[in-house]
Amino acid sequence: MSVSEIALAEGQSTDGRGGEFRRGLAASTPVLLGIIPYALVLGAQAAQKGLSVAEVPLMTGLNFAGGSEFAAIRLWTSPPHILLIAAITFLVNSRHLLMGAALAPFINHLPKRQVFPALFLMCDESWAVGLADARRRADAGMRPAFSLAFYLGAALPFYLAWVAFTTCGAALGPVLGDVETYGSALAFPAVFLVLLRGMWTGFAAARPWLVSLAVAALTYLVVPGAWYVAAGALSGLVAAWFLAGER
């Protein structure tokens, strides 16, 4: 067991749930700071499309998934095309099916009254942080491998920050103007590069990611709409299945 794993185990045994929650908050804070710029961007874009300051937190709080919210806002018209927006939202959020499946073995011991709220709070960032921690704990022989308190420490601040800063973006949008001119669009890829680095275990394990990236990029170039999301997710899943026995 490494020094970090020993510290993790000792922290869990002495501090209990409060210590685990703080550990999750500390692990997610660097990424949490990165979501603020594009939360402001989304709120400002929503305000420019005619959504009120009260309506923006309803959208971001009930549909906690940034990618689909950006897609919905880009498609928003007056009156809105509800079926089209719903279909694109489902398509963009389809990656959550795979994310939930990856997390399922670590949370199947939890009662449903805890699982459903945890999955509601799941976003790309909290999923990556929570899954990486569960795998480290499993490798260290800790049971259960999934710490719900750690996960909530990572996930709940993301939810609160996302709703709060999209609301701020809606309120400040008319003052800020086009916030993307400040370079805030770079925050989105920067956050995901940090997440990928944290989950990196070697090139062999990354091959499904590369397949997914290539297929998603090709689909984006040749097929209109958000089909590249589903194409990338499914191709990565198929690649992982075929390459599973080669590690």
Side-chain angles (χ1 to χ4, degrees), residues 95-106 119 122 127 131 237:
R95 70 191 188 281
H96 285 246
L97 298 173
L98 300 179
M99 291 159 59
L103 203 58
F106 296 101
L119 292 178
M122 183 180 71
W127 169 82
L131 183 62
L237 183 64

Side-chain angles (χ1 to χ4, degrees), residues 35-113:
I35 74 166
I36 294 174
Y38 58 92
L40 293 171
V41 169
L42 177 62
Q45 290 181 348
Q48 292 166 5
K49 287 285 188 171
L51 273 69
S52 70
V53 177
E55 290 169 335
V56 169
L58 284 176
M59 177 186 72
T60 57
L62 295 175
N63 175 47
F64 181 45
S68 64
E69 290 163 356
F70 274 104
I73 288 301
R74 290 192 180 100
L75 293 171
W76 194 266
T77 57
S78 184
H81 300 286
I82 299 298
L83 292 179
L84 175 62
I85 291 174
I88 293 299
T89 298
F90 176 81
L91 186 61
V92 175
N93 286 346
S94 63
R95 70 191 188 281
H96 285 246
L97 298 173
L98 300 179
M99 291 159 59
L103 203 58
F106 296 101
I107 61 175
N108 57 12
H109 66 285
L110 296 173
K112 288 183 173 58
R113 68 178 183 276

Side-chain angles (χ1 to χ4, degrees), residues 151-174:
Y151 174 83
L152 291 177
L156 188 58
F158 273 107
Y159 179 80
L160 297 176
W162 184 251
V163 175
F165 283 100
T166 52
T167 305
C168 289
L172 299 175

Side-chain angles (χ1 to χ4, degrees), residues 7-13 15-25 27 103-111 114-115 118-119 121 126-139 141-157:
L8 183 152
E10 290 177 347
Q12 183 187 28
S13 61
D15 295 337
R17 293 179 180 177
E20 283 293 281
F21 186 91
R22 291 190 295 272
R23 191 171 65 84
L25 177 60
L103 203 58
F106 296 101
I107 61 175
N108 57 12
H109 66 285
L110 296 173
Q114 294 178 349
V115 169
L119 292 178
L121 292 173
S126 60
W127 169 82
V129 171
L131 183 62
D133 181 71
R135 286 174 173 170
R136 283 193 295 267
R137 289 165 59 94
D139 292 341
M142 301 180 67
R143 297 293 182 271
F146 182 81
S147 170
L148 181 60
F150 172 90
Y151 174 83
L152 291 177
L156 188 58

